[in-house]
Amino acid sequence: MTKTALVVGASGIVGSATARLLVEQGWTVHGLARRPTGQPGVRPVVADLQDAAATKAALRDLAPDAVFITTWLRQDSEAENIRVNGAMVRNLLAALPRPRGPRHVALVTGLKHYLGPFEAYGKATLPQTPFREEQGRLDVENFYYAQEDELFAAAARDGFSWSVHRPHTVIGLAVGNAMNMGTTLAVYATLCRERGRPFVFPGSAAQWSGLTDMTDAGQLARHLLWAAETEAAHDEAFNVVNGDVFRWQWMWPRFAQWFGVESAPFDGVVRPLAEQMAGDMDLWRDIAAREGLAEPDLTRLASPWHTDADLGRPIEVVTDMSKSRRLGFTGYQPTDDAFFALFERLRAERLIP
């Protein structure tokens, strides 16, 4: 029988990649979003998870075999992040009819589980790297923990299995996404080329010279599907990255070459993209008009604040995936290939010239 999935946040980087994979694998896929984007093969479900009654009405006739939660809403404080995002998971799982058979719910969070929330990013007493799942929670308030607690409570109530997935920075395509390093760097490189200014690494010396890893959206989608279909992966939390490591001092010149810009020598000074790109709104509109681009609004493509948070970390960040490997997940994705594939897609879809 055909399996049915509900992808929550289907218009985002992770949700769209997950929905696409499930459709390719023959699943019946329902994609929940406040503003669905019309993905091929995905049945749209319009709902605002902050509205419990409206969410219940939107989901009353769905009985998915698997639910993939890939969304969150950024708020002005961690206390508000906890209140809003915890309630969204609670409203979603309360709205679904009680499962008549086996159901699996996968929740995507991230490495802020180990690094702390944005308000205290990398400032708490951190576990050693590479981060491992058994290192547990920090002694700080964190909306990821609130989301997990809502998941665990609903699983105990309704009897479904669950998995938690903690990617590093995700590489993928989505417009209007709050955390989008790949597109942000593509837009930044385009602006540097337009202005004839050097392509300056915006982050810290620790990120420039230290090891790091990342997570391609397709790799994460495959991991989500693997966990849903693998009984040994049920009721477990996992790190998920591409499987390689790199240093930005190696990656950055390769980006510069791809975009045809000059890679500036790194001098150890942090130069945040939020400052470098602050006056580029009108320039991007001019580029979009001249080149016939699909999105003239710079804020819909670039999220400098998030890229600055990642590239400005004062510590090396790498992730251990031994837990998944031991249970049989063998997916691998070279990170440079993931970036270059994204840049090609951005160009093909007329999001960059």
Side-chain angles (χ1 to χ4, degrees), residues 13 38 40 130 148 229:
I13 292 177
E148 286 184 343
E229 295 185 329

Side-chain angles (χ1 to χ4, degrees), residues 192-261:
C192 288
R193 187 177 60 212
E194 181 75 13
R195 288 190 180 275
R197 66 192 187 197
F199 188 52
V200 176
F201 182 73
S204 67
Q207 291 303 304
W208 177 254
S209 59
L211 290 172
T212 192
D213 50 25
M214 294 187 70
T215 308
D216 178 70
Q219 171 83 337
L220 177 51
R222 292 187 290 272
H223 195 262
L224 288 163
L225 180 56
W226 165 79
E229 295 185 329
T230 302
E231 187 173 352
H234 291 176
D235 302 339
E236 298 285 352
F238 298 99
N239 297 327
V240 50
V241 287
N242 287 336
D244 62 354
V245 294
F246 66 94
R247 303 180 199 274
W248 279 107
Q249 63 185 10
W250 172 79
M251 187 75 79
W252 198 253
R254 303 190 76 214
F255 283 12
Q257 183 178 21
W258 199 94
F259 285 99
V261 294

Side-chain angles (χ1 to χ4, degrees), residues 161-221:
S161 63
W162 56 266
S163 57
V164 174
H165 303 256
R166 299 169 186 157
H168 201 161
T169 305
V170 177
I171 306 166
L173 179 62
V175 175
N177 192 270
M179 300 191 297
N180 196 338
M181 179 188 283
T183 305
T184 298
L185 293 178
V187 168
Y188 171 58
T190 302
L191 290 165
C192 288
R193 187 177 60 212
E194 181 75 13
R195 288 190 180 275
R197 66 192 187 197
F199 188 52
V200 176
F201 182 73
S204 67
Q207 291 303 304
W208 177 254
S209 59
L211 290 172
T212 192
D213 50 25
M214 294 187 70
T215 308
D216 178 70
Q219 171 83 337
L220 177 51

Side-chain angles (χ1 to χ4, degrees), residues 31 54 66 72 97 112 142 158 162 164 199 212 224-225 252 271 274 287 318 322-323:
W72 73 291
K112 288 189 291 296
N142 191 323
D158 293 338
W162 56 266
V164 174
F199 188 52
T212 192
L224 288 163
L225 180 56
W252 198 253
R271 294 181 171 86
I287 295 171
V318 287
S322 297
K323 186 174 182 180

Side-chain angles (χ1 to χ4, degrees), residues 288 290-295 345-353:
R290 185 188 73 214
E291 302 289 341
L293 301 184
E295 182 52 73
R345 284 189 67 195
L346 291 171
R347 196 165 270 177
E349 299 195 19
R350 304 303 303 159
L351 291 168
I352 61 172

Side-chain angles (χ1 to χ4, degrees), residues 21-342:
L21 176 64
L22 290 166
V23 169
E24 291 172 356
Q25 295 296 313
W27 289 58
T28 298
V29 181
H30 300 268
L32 186 151
R34 287 177 296 169
R35 293 178 292 276
T37 55
Q39 297 160 269
V42 177
R43 304 178 184 189
V45 178
V46 180
D48 181 350
L49 296 181
Q50 296 182 84
D51 186 331
T55 300
K56 190 172 184 66
L59 299 179
R60 64 176 177 270
D61 296 325
L62 286 184
D65 300 293
V67 180
F68 303 91
I69 305 173
T70 71
T71 189
W72 73 291
L73 284 178
R74 186 188 181 203
Q75 306 298 311
D76 291 335
S77 68
E78 193 60 18
E80 278 299 288
N81 276 331
I82 290 168
R83 184 185 68 81
V84 170
N85 291 284
M88 288 168 58
V89 173
R90 182 169 63 253
N91 292 342
L92 167 73
L93 297 178
L96 288 168
R98 187 178 178 88
R100 295 187 292 272
R103 174 181 290 168
H104 185 80
V105 179
L107 170 67
V108 177
T109 61
L111 293 197
K112 288 189 291 296
H113 182 94
Y114 308 107
L115 289 163
F118 288 119
E119 290 179 3
Y121 202 45
K123 297 175 183 177
T125 301
L126 302 176
Q128 289 184 338
T129 56
F131 295 138
R132 293 178 169 87
E133 296 91 345
E134 65 266 22
Q135 290 167 323
R137 295 180 175 184
L138 300 175
D139 189 21
V140 294
E141 295 297 310
N142 191 323
F143 83 86
Y144 284 170
Y145 306 161
Q147 289 181 307
E148 286 184 343
D149 288 343
E150 295 293 347
L151 174 67
F152 302 156
R157 179 191 68 218
D158 293 338
F160 57 76
S161 63
W162 56 266
S163 57
V164 174
H165 303 256
R166 299 169 186 157
H168 201 161
T169 305
V170 177
I171 306 166
L173 179 62
V175 175
N177 192 270
M179 300 191 297
N180 196 338
M181 179 188 283
T183 305
T184 298
L185 293 178
V187 168
Y188 171 58
T190 302
L191 290 165
C192 288
R193 187 177 60 212
E194 181 75 13
R195 288 190 180 275
R197 66 192 187 197
F199 188 52
V200 176
F201 182 73
S204 67
Q207 291 303 304
W208 177 254
S209 59
L211 290 172
T212 192
D213 50 25
M214 294 187 70
T215 308
D216 178 70
Q219 171 83 337
L220 177 51
R222 292 187 290 272
H223 195 262
L224 288 163
L225 180 56
W226 165 79
E229 295 185 329
T230 302
E231 187 173 352
H234 291 176
D235 302 339
E236 298 285 352
F238 298 99
N239 297 327
V240 50
V241 287
N242 287 336
D244 62 354
V245 294
F246 66 94
R247 303 180 199 274
W248 279 107
Q249 63 185 10
W250 172 79
M251 187 75 79
W252 198 253
R254 303 190 76 214
F255 283 12
Q257 183 178 21
W258 199 94
F259 285 99
V261 294
E262 177 190 353
S263 178
F266 181 66
D267 61 5
V269 177
V270 176
R271 294 181 171 86
L273 290 179
E275 297 176 5
Q276 292 194 58
M277 300 172 68
D280 288 336
M281 293 278 292
D282 291 341
L283 176 60
W284 186 259
R285 288 188 182 279
D286 291 344
I287 295 171
R290 185 188 73 214
E291 302 289 341
L293 301 184
E295 182 52 73
D297 185 350
L298 182 62
T299 64
R300 296 267 299 154
L301 295 174
S303 50
W305 68 274
H306 177 258
T307 299
D308 286 339
D310 276 3
L311 297 184
R313 295 170 181 151
I315 58 172
E316 181 179 272
V317 177
V318 287
T319 314
D320 181 76
M321 265 193 75
S322 297
K323 186 174 182 180
S324 293
R325 301 302 189 206
R326 288 189 178 105
L327 292 177
F329 181 76
T330 59
Y332 171 77
Q333 170 63 61
T335 299
D336 52 346
D337 288 354
F339 271 119
F340 296 142
L342 170 62

